[in-house]
Every structure is written in structure tokens, then in C-alpha cells.
Amino acid sequence: MQKDAEKTHRLQTQLSEAQQGLPDTAEELRKKDQALEAQEKLLKDMEQDQKRLWETLEEAERALEQGVKDKELIIGQMKTVEAALSEAKEQATASAAEAAAPLPSLQLQTLPEEATAGRPEAESLQVRV
């Protein structure tokens, strides 16, 4: 019986010590729980930041692709303008060459008065000098 009493006393002592440590353990668990909640919040914030960064990256990629298309369009338009300018220069050069060539001379001849007599249409076409 004495062994049982010693055993009971030891168990009561262990129980008492465990009960005394219980508030400390509960406080430690609360602190760990708060730390875990803070870590979960940080993780959630980081995931949201990562999502926003990916969206921004995708927008930037689309903007770059559109920039490349715009650049190609502008280059095409510039080539068209350059070709039109070149053609206009060629035409101006050809016109200048034609202008430098001597013009054929025109000689006016008038009909004698007898040929135009009684013909008002012929008379109206005659130049009076």
C-alpha cells in the first residue's frame, strides 16, 4: 500500500506540475497562433502582390507587342511616303528636262478677207492685229 501511496503522490505531483505549466503552455500556444496568423497574412499579401506583378507584366508584354506593330506600321507608311516622294522627284526632274527643251514655234496665218466674207464663224476666229 505504501507503494500505491507513493505512486499516487508522484502522480499528484506530476499532475500539479502539469497544471501549473498549463497557463504557460496556453500562453505559448497563443503566441505561436498569433505568429502563425501573421505569417498567413504575409503569405496572402505576397500572393496578391505576385498576382498584381504578373498582371502588370502581362500588360507590359501586350504594350510591347502593340509597340512593335505600331513601329512596323509606321515603317510601312514611311516607305510609302518615301516612294511617293521619290516618284515626285523623278516627275519633277522629267518636267524640268521637258521645260528645258525648245518649244515648237507657232505661226499664225490669217485667211484673206475674201475667204471669210459671208462666213461669220470664220470671221470670229480671225485675229485682228
Side-chain angles (χ1 to χ4, degrees), residues 19-92:
Q19 286 175 341
Q20 288 174 355
L22 209 59
D24 293 338
T25 306
E27 181 63 27
E28 190 177 321
L29 282 174
R30 273 193 293 276
K31 287 180 181 178
K32 286 185 178 185
D33 196 35
Q34 287 175 346
L36 181 61
E37 287 176 2
Q39 292 295 320
E40 287 174 346
K41 184 182 181 319
L42 285 174
L43 178 61
K44 183 179 176 184
D45 290 346
M46 288 176 55
E47 287 172 344
Q48 288 176 346
D49 289 345
Q50 183 182 24
K51 182 181 176 186
R52 281 191 292 266
L53 286 171
W54 278 111
E55 289 170 354
T56 302
L57 178 64
E58 289 171 354
E59 287 176 19
E61 286 175 343
R62 285 191 298 272
L64 282 172
E65 289 170 358
Q66 186 61 46
V68 168
K69 289 177 184 177
D70 291 347
K71 177 184 170 187
E72 290 172 356
L73 179 66
I74 289 170
I75 289 171
Q77 290 174 342
M78 288 176 68
K79 286 180 179 178
T80 301
V81 168
E82 188 176 346
L85 178 63
S86 185
E87 184 179 333
K89 283 181 181 178
E90 288 174 9
Q91 288 177 354

Side-chain angles (χ1 to χ4, degrees), residues 5-19:
E6 286 177 15
K7 195 174 187 182
T8 305
H9 178 65
R10 245 184 297 136
L11 287 174
Q12 285 177 344
T13 304
Q14 287 176 347
L15 182 61
S16 177
E17 288 173 0
Q19 286 175 341

